[in-house]
Amino acid sequence: MLKKSRLVKLILPALLVIVALGFYRGFNDYLPRIPSSPDETTHITFYALGDQGKANSEQRAVAGAMETQAQKDGGLDFTVLLGDNFYIEDNMTTESSAWMRAFEHMYTGKYLDAIPFYAVLGNHDYPGSVQAELDYASRHLGSNRWRMPGRHYSEVFGRVNGQPLVQIVFLDTNQDPRGEAEYLKQQFSQGNHPIWKIVIAHHAIRTYGKHHQEGEGANNPLISAMQAANVDLYIAAHDHNQQLIVREGEPIHVVSGGGGGKLYAVKTGASDLRFSAAEHGFVRVALDAAGVNISYLDSGDHLQAAFHMDRNCTSGVESCLKQTHAH
């Protein structure tokens, strides 16, 4: 009897801890920590989408399609969130329920749970949620997937024979474009010599949607800065649709604003508009030293269009970019 009593005394505290932990996790959002950055590799695959922060069924459908596609790909290195990460009226904090509704519990699954999400600020993130988004990243809160080390920042991914595979500069296009252009120039003049150069921002510069001509014109300093730096892709959102625009002498303009917000129509017929769809969805970018593949997928994970460009093609972007799939 004494032995049983001692056994109960030993086991009971452990059981109480387990039960307490279960209750804690039941009433508190427990999410595991993940590595701080994707592994270096000779091949990078990432998804990009913006205007997503509605916490609605449309955003959830896109998130589900991303997880399905990642399963098909057999892996995913990271996702890029192109701004308008949260559509809220009040000032947001790191404790706001919007984190769970529009991010932590939205992008889930075997693959989405285990990758970083690199985010930029959109116009709807101002002024209410900017500081919260920065603090959530710097304090490694939640699942530690949220990445926003600054209002603008730069990251290098992958390596081939000692050379960076891709450098991505993340901009805050809510700020003075001249300052952002100068930051872009500085980041691409650091001597990294990446094989691919990409710029990520919220506001599309070239678009045939609702915000057509907002960023147009020779006075936009980001265009000349990207031309000087030989940027390959400019990936943005703001227009709630999907587009791909190709102009000689400029980076390929990828618009991926179908993350969950109300859709905007696209005016078709322009000679430089290679693809458009007023649909919810995301963009898949896969690249290595030999080339880049750009794929547009809808919220059902159906391939709408795909394009490929060889790295060693020298005949100009208009002819180098080949369409490999049309819906």
Coordinates of all heavy atoms in Angstrom, one line a residue, residues 233-276:
L233 N 13.0 40.6 -62.3 CA 11.6 40.6 -62.0 C 11.2 41.7 -61.0 O 11.9 41.9 -60.0 CB 11.2 39.2 -61.4 CG 11.5 37.9 -62.1 CD1 11.0 36.7 -61.3 CD2 10.8 37.9 -63.5
Y234 N 10.1 42.3 -61.2 CA 9.4 43.2 -60.3 C 8.1 42.6 -59.9 O 7.2 42.5 -60.8 CB 9.3 44.6 -60.9 CG 8.6 45.6 -59.9 CD1 9.3 46.1 -58.8 CD2 7.3 46.0 -60.1 CE1 8.7 47.0 -57.9 CE2 6.7 46.9 -59.2 CZ 7.4 47.4 -58.2 OH 6.8 48.3 -57.3
I235 N 7.9 42.1 -58.7 CA 6.7 41.4 -58.3 C 6.0 42.3 -57.3 O 6.5 42.7 -56.3 CB 7.1 40.0 -57.6 CG1 8.0 39.2 -58.6 CG2 5.8 39.3 -57.3 CD1 8.4 37.9 -58.0
A236 N 4.7 42.6 -57.6 CA 3.9 43.5 -56.8 C 2.5 43.1 -56.8 O 2.1 42.1 -57.4 CB 4.1 44.9 -57.3
A237 N 1.6 43.9 -56.2 CA 0.2 43.6 -56.1 C -0.6 44.9 -56.3 O -0.4 45.6 -57.3 CB -0.1 43.0 -54.8
H238 N -1.4 45.3 -55.3 CA -2.2 46.5 -55.3 C -3.4 46.4 -56.2 O -4.5 46.8 -55.8 CB -1.4 47.7 -55.6 CG -2.0 49.0 -55.2 ND1 -2.7 49.2 -54.0 CD2 -2.1 50.2 -55.9 CE1 -3.1 50.5 -54.0 NE2 -2.8 51.1 -55.1
D239 N -3.2 45.9 -57.4 CA -4.4 45.6 -58.3 C -4.8 44.1 -57.9 O -3.9 43.2 -57.9 CB -4.0 45.7 -59.8 CG -4.7 46.8 -60.4 OD1 -5.9 47.1 -60.1 OD2 -4.1 47.5 -61.3
H240 N -6.1 44.0 -57.6 CA -6.5 42.7 -57.1 C -6.8 41.7 -58.3 O -8.0 41.4 -58.6 CB -7.8 42.9 -56.3 CG -7.6 43.7 -55.0 ND1 -8.6 43.9 -54.1 CD2 -6.5 44.4 -54.6 CE1 -8.1 44.6 -53.1 NE2 -6.8 45.0 -53.4
N241 N -5.8 41.3 -58.9 CA -5.9 40.4 -60.1 C -4.5 39.8 -60.3 O -3.6 40.0 -59.5 CB -6.4 41.1 -61.3 CG -5.8 42.4 -61.5 OD1 -4.6 42.5 -61.5 ND2 -6.6 43.5 -61.6
Q242 N -4.4 39.1 -61.5 CA -3.1 38.5 -61.9 C -2.7 39.0 -63.2 O -3.6 39.0 -64.2 CB -3.2 37.0 -61.9 CG -3.5 36.4 -60.5 CD -3.6 34.9 -60.6 OE1 -4.3 34.4 -61.4 NE2 -2.9 34.2 -59.7
Q243 N -1.5 39.5 -63.4 CA -1.0 40.0 -64.7 C 0.5 39.7 -64.9 O 1.2 39.6 -63.9 CB -1.2 41.5 -64.8 CG -2.6 42.0 -64.6 CD -2.7 43.6 -64.6 OE1 -2.3 44.2 -65.6 NE2 -3.2 44.1 -63.5
L244 N 0.9 39.6 -66.1 CA 2.3 39.6 -66.5 C 2.5 40.5 -67.6 O 1.9 40.4 -68.7 CB 2.7 38.2 -66.8 CG 4.2 38.1 -67.0 CD1 4.8 36.8 -66.4 CD2 4.6 38.1 -68.5
I245 N 3.3 41.5 -67.5 CA 3.6 42.6 -68.4 C 5.1 42.6 -68.8 O 5.9 42.6 -67.9 CB 3.1 44.0 -67.9 CG1 1.6 43.9 -67.6 CG2 3.5 45.1 -68.8 CD1 1.1 45.1 -66.8
V246 N 5.4 42.6 -70.1 CA 6.7 42.6 -70.5 C 7.0 43.8 -71.4 O 6.4 43.9 -72.5 CB 7.0 41.3 -71.3 CG1 8.5 41.2 -71.8 CG2 6.7 40.1 -70.4
R247 N 8.0 44.6 -71.0 CA 8.4 45.7 -71.8 C 9.9 45.6 -72.0 O 10.7 45.4 -71.0 CB 8.0 47.1 -71.2 CG 6.6 47.3 -71.1 CD 6.2 48.7 -70.7 NE 4.8 48.9 -70.6 CZ 4.2 50.1 -70.4 NH1 5.0 51.2 -70.2 NH2 2.9 50.2 -70.3
E248 N 10.4 45.8 -73.2 CA 11.8 45.7 -73.5 C 12.6 46.7 -72.6 O 12.2 47.9 -72.5 CB 12.1 45.9 -74.9 CG 13.5 45.4 -75.4 CD 13.6 43.8 -75.1 OE1 12.9 43.1 -75.8 OE2 14.4 43.5 -74.3
G249 N 13.7 46.3 -72.1 CA 14.5 47.2 -71.3 C 14.1 47.3 -69.8 O 14.7 48.1 -69.1
E250 N 13.0 46.7 -69.4 CA 12.5 46.7 -68.1 C 12.5 45.3 -67.5 O 12.5 44.3 -68.2 CB 11.1 47.4 -68.0 CG 11.1 48.8 -68.4 CD 9.7 49.4 -68.2 OE1 8.8 48.8 -67.6 OE2 9.5 50.6 -68.7
P251 N 12.4 45.2 -66.1 CA 12.2 43.9 -65.5 C 10.8 43.4 -65.9 O 9.9 44.1 -66.3 CB 12.3 44.2 -64.0 CG 11.9 45.6 -63.9 CD 12.5 46.3 -65.1
I252 N 10.6 42.1 -65.9 CA 9.3 41.5 -66.1 C 8.4 41.9 -64.9 O 8.8 41.8 -63.7 CB 9.4 40.0 -66.1 CG1 10.3 39.5 -67.3 CG2 8.0 39.3 -66.2 CD1 10.7 38.1 -67.2
H253 N 7.2 42.5 -65.3 CA 6.3 43.0 -64.2 C 5.3 41.9 -63.9 O 4.5 41.5 -64.7 CB 5.6 44.2 -64.7 CG 6.5 45.4 -64.9 ND1 6.7 46.3 -63.9 CD2 7.2 45.8 -66.0 CE1 7.5 47.3 -64.4 NE2 7.9 46.9 -65.6
V254 N 5.4 41.3 -62.7 CA 4.5 40.3 -62.2 C 3.6 40.9 -61.2 O 4.0 41.4 -60.2 CB 5.3 39.2 -61.5 CG1 4.4 38.1 -61.0 CG2 6.3 38.5 -62.5
V255 N 2.3 40.9 -61.5 CA 1.2 41.3 -60.6 C 0.5 40.1 -60.0 O 0.0 39.3 -60.8 CB 0.2 42.3 -61.3 CG1 -0.8 42.8 -60.4 CG2 1.0 43.5 -61.9
S256 N 0.5 40.1 -58.7 CA -0.2 39.0 -58.0 C -0.9 39.5 -56.8 O -0.6 39.3 -55.7 CB 0.9 37.9 -57.5 OG 0.3 36.8 -56.9
G257 N -2.1 40.1 -57.1 CA -2.9 40.8 -56.1 C -4.2 40.0 -55.8 O -5.1 40.7 -55.3
G258 N -4.2 38.7 -56.1 CA -5.5 38.0 -55.9 C -5.5 37.2 -54.7 O -6.0 36.1 -54.6
G259 N -4.9 37.7 -53.6 CA -4.7 36.9 -52.4 C -6.0 36.7 -51.5 O -6.0 35.8 -50.6
G260 N -7.0 37.5 -51.8 CA -8.2 37.4 -51.0 C -9.1 38.6 -51.0 O -10.3 38.4 -50.7
G261 N -8.6 39.7 -51.5 CA -9.5 40.9 -51.6 C -10.4 40.9 -52.7 O -10.3 40.0 -53.6
K262 N -11.4 41.8 -52.7 CA -12.3 41.9 -53.8 C -11.6 42.1 -55.2 O -10.7 43.0 -55.3 CB -13.3 43.1 -53.6 CG -14.4 43.2 -54.7 CD -15.3 44.4 -54.3 CE -16.3 44.6 -55.4 NZ -17.2 45.7 -55.1
L263 N -12.0 41.4 -56.2 CA -11.2 41.4 -57.4 C -11.5 42.7 -58.3 O -12.6 43.2 -58.2 CB -11.6 40.2 -58.3 CG -11.2 38.8 -57.6 CD1 -11.8 37.7 -58.4 CD2 -9.7 38.7 -57.5
Y264 N -10.5 43.1 -59.1 CA -10.6 44.2 -60.0 C -10.5 43.6 -61.4 O -9.7 42.7 -61.7 CB -9.5 45.2 -59.8 CG -9.4 45.8 -58.4 CD1 -8.2 46.4 -58.0 CD2 -10.5 45.9 -57.6 CE1 -8.1 47.0 -56.7 CE2 -10.4 46.5 -56.3 CZ -9.2 47.0 -55.9 OH -9.2 47.6 -54.7
A265 N -11.2 44.2 -62.3 CA -11.1 43.8 -63.7 C -9.8 44.2 -64.4 O -9.2 45.2 -63.9 CB -12.3 44.4 -64.5
V266 N -9.4 43.6 -65.4 CA -8.2 43.9 -66.2 C -8.6 44.3 -67.6 O -9.4 43.5 -68.3 CB -7.2 42.8 -66.2 CG1 -6.0 43.2 -67.0 CG2 -6.9 42.3 -64.8
K267 N -8.1 45.4 -68.1 CA -8.4 45.8 -69.5 C -7.4 45.1 -70.4 O -6.2 45.2 -70.3 CB -8.2 47.3 -69.6 CG -8.5 47.8 -71.0 CD -8.3 49.3 -71.1 CE -8.6 49.8 -72.6 NZ -8.4 51.3 -72.7
T268 N -7.9 44.2 -71.2 CA -7.1 43.4 -72.1 C -6.8 44.1 -73.4 O -7.4 45.1 -73.7 CB -7.7 42.0 -72.3 OG1 -9.0 42.2 -73.0 CG2 -8.0 41.3 -71.0
G269 N -5.9 43.5 -74.2 CA -5.7 44.0 -75.5 C -4.3 44.7 -75.7 O -3.9 44.9 -76.8
A270 N -3.7 45.0 -74.6 CA -2.4 45.7 -74.7 C -1.3 44.7 -75.2 O -1.3 43.5 -74.8 CB -2.0 46.3 -73.4
S271 N -0.4 45.2 -76.1 CA 0.6 44.3 -76.7 C 1.6 43.8 -75.7 O 2.2 42.7 -75.9 CB 1.3 45.0 -77.8 OG 2.0 46.2 -77.3
D272 N 1.8 44.5 -74.6 CA 2.8 44.0 -73.6 C 2.2 43.2 -72.5 O 2.9 42.8 -71.6 CB 3.6 45.2 -73.1 CG 2.7 46.3 -72.4 OD1 1.5 46.2 -72.6 OD2 3.2 47.2 -71.8
L273 N 0.9 43.0 -72.5 CA 0.2 42.2 -71.5 C 0.2 40.8 -71.9 O -0.7 40.4 -72.7 CB -1.2 42.8 -71.3 CG -2.1 42.1 -70.2 CD1 -1.5 42.2 -68.8 CD2 -3.5 42.6 -70.2
R274 N 1.1 40.0 -71.4 CA 1.2 38.6 -71.8 C 0.1 37.7 -71.2 O -0.2 36.7 -71.7 CB 2.6 38.1 -71.5 CG 3.7 38.7 -72.2 CD 3.9 38.2 -73.6 NE 5.1 38.7 -74.3 CZ 6.2 38.0 -74.2 NH1 6.3 36.8 -73.6 NH2 7.3 38.5 -74.8
F275 N -0.3 38.1 -70.0 CA -1.3 37.2 -69.3 C -2.1 38.1 -68.3 O -1.5 39.0 -67.7 CB -0.6 36.1 -68.5 CG -1.6 35.4 -67.5 CD1 -2.5 34.5 -68.0 CD2 -1.5 35.7 -66.2 CE1 -3.4 33.9 -67.1 CE2 -2.4 35.1 -65.3 CZ -3.3 34.2 -65.8
S276 N -3.4 37.8 -68.2 CA -4.2 38.5 -67.1 C -5.3 37.6 -66.8 O -5.9 36.8 -67.6 CB -4.7 39.9 -67.6 OG -5.6 39.7 -68.7

